[in-house]
Amino acid sequence: MADNSADNCPDNRRIVSSQHLAEGEGWELSELEFGLIIVFNAFSRWMTRCMAAAGQADLSPLDILILHNVNHRGRDKSLSDICFLLNIEDSHTVNYALRKLLKAGLLVSEKRGKEVFYRTSEEGGVLCEGYRDVRRQCLLEGLPATDLSGPELRDFARKLRALSGQYDQASRAAASL
């Protein structure tokens, strides 16, 4: 017998953002998508508030992701590296964020041949460390209350990465219609 988790909700209501997408088979994916929407918005809000607490209040979530990505492992990154690693198709938005981070003094750039490489400035590195400290204090200390272990979080992250591949393939299929 199939497990219908919707039976656990009052009046068999499904927790989705768009009821018309949750009709028939596969309604569970709509429930997951609603969860992703809520997590995305909460994570975006968290990043901007964490960065503000670390000392830089005027960065967007994309700016913050790019700053952390450029700081990652202390390796210089090109525009294409950043877009690839963050799975961003529109390089113009990344390029705009890079210019903003350069202007703020958080990144430095170096042209090598035809390509520009970016790395965090000393100020940018200090800001990333401050973000890490705020993250530890405000987020990591409360994580044990979720009852998620390190291995469970890693497994969940692996599943999300695999799911991103499904969405990428579906977007390619939709583009060919």
Side-chain angles (χ1 to χ4, degrees), residues 77-81 98 102 108-118:
K77 312 253 181 355
S78 68
L79 173 65
S80 59
D81 294 333
L98 288 167
L102 284 166
V108 293
S109 64
E110 177 185 340
K111 189 166 184 165
R112 297 182 202 152
K114 293 183 179 183
E115 205 161 17
V116 178
F117 287 82
Y118 302 89

Side-chain angles (χ1 to χ4, degrees), residues 5 13-15 17 21 37 45 57 81 95 99 139 149:
S5 298
R13 289 185 213 152
R14 296 172 177 163
I15 302 171
S17 66
L21 298 177
I37 291 165
R45 185 172 38 257
D81 294 333
N95 202 29
R99 286 196 312 270
L139 184 64
S149 68

Side-chain angles (χ1 to χ4, degrees), residues 129-159:
E129 289 174 18
Y131 184 101
R132 181 189 63 208
D133 293 341
V134 173
R135 181 177 178 266
R136 182 181 304 120
Q137 179 184 359
C138 296
L139 184 64
L140 294 181
E141 289 180 6
L143 202 54
T146 65
D147 288 333
L148 290 171
S149 68
E152 289 171 320
L153 287 172
R154 289 183 70 201
D155 186 54
F156 190 57
R158 182 186 57 75
K159 289 176 181 174

Side-chain angles (χ1 to χ4, degrees), residues 91-108:
S91 63
H92 299 329
T93 60
V94 174
N95 202 29
Y96 177 79
L98 288 167
R99 286 196 312 270
K100 182 177 174 182
L101 294 166
L102 284 166
K103 187 176 179 183
L106 301 173
L107 297 181
V108 293

Side-chain angles (χ1 to χ4, degrees), residues 33-46:
E33 289 170 341
F34 184 50
L36 290 172
I37 291 165
I38 291 172
V39 166
F40 170 77
N41 288 315
F43 183 60
S44 295
R45 185 172 38 257
W46 154 250

